[in-house]
Amino acid sequence: MRSGLGIVATTALLAGCASTGTTPPPATPAAVVAVPYNAVGLERVIGHDAAALVKLFGQPDADVREGTARKLQFQSRICVLDAYLYPRGGEEPRVTYIDAREPDGSSIDRASCVAALTRRDGAR
């Protein structure tokens, strides 16, 4: 008796799941949310020129120039920091954006990387 009742209950549940002939509305794509660029802890870098970065971190491990833009890269055993400098008007190029990662490419907080680099050999 129980197995017969189980079959009836299962059939009733499956019947409720059967198509009603209407198609569900298409899924709406998820909105792309811009992640704000938080400059907290980056005051010693953002807006400064190359000389200030050298004074803070020591000599860069890489210095790449492309047109009027410049990228300075500083490395330690903890992280790699890329500082992008661009001129505005007739002024000397200044840092407008930085990117940070661990040596293996993993994500790391930019402010933590700045703090770590100030403690590396060659930094002030």
Side-chain angles (χ1 to χ4, degrees):
M1 181 75 174
R2 282 188 180 181
S3 69
L5 186 57
I7 293 172
V8 171
T10 303
T11 304
L13 285 174
L14 291 175
C17 295
S19 176
T20 59
T22 62
T23 55
T28 56
V32 176
V33 178
V35 177
Y37 184 74
N38 188 351
V40 174
L42 306 177
E43 301 86 3
R44 297 166 69 182
V45 178
I46 299 292
H48 293 275
D49 62 12
L53 296 181
V54 170
K55 184 176 179 184
L56 181 64
F57 300 130
Q59 289 301 313
D61 296 286
D63 186 346
V64 181
R65 295 171 194 252
E66 187 173 319
T68 58
R70 186 174 182 187
K71 177 181 90 168
L72 296 179
Q73 185 175 84
F74 300 92
Q75 298 179 18
S76 73
R77 61 183 177 77
I78 296 172
C79 67
V80 178
L81 181 81
D82 295 322
Y84 297 91
L85 298 90
Y86 298 96
R88 191 179 326 174
E91 295 180 3
E92 185 174 351
R94 296 190 174 274
V95 177
T96 58
Y97 181 79
I98 63 171
D99 190 26
R101 62 193 171 282
E102 292 183 34
D104 68 359
S106 303
S107 255
I108 189 170
D109 176 67
R110 291 179 283 253
S112 297
C113 185
V114 167
L117 287 170
T118 59
R119 292 188 290 276
R120 76 177 189 156
D121 290 335
R124 104 184 148 98

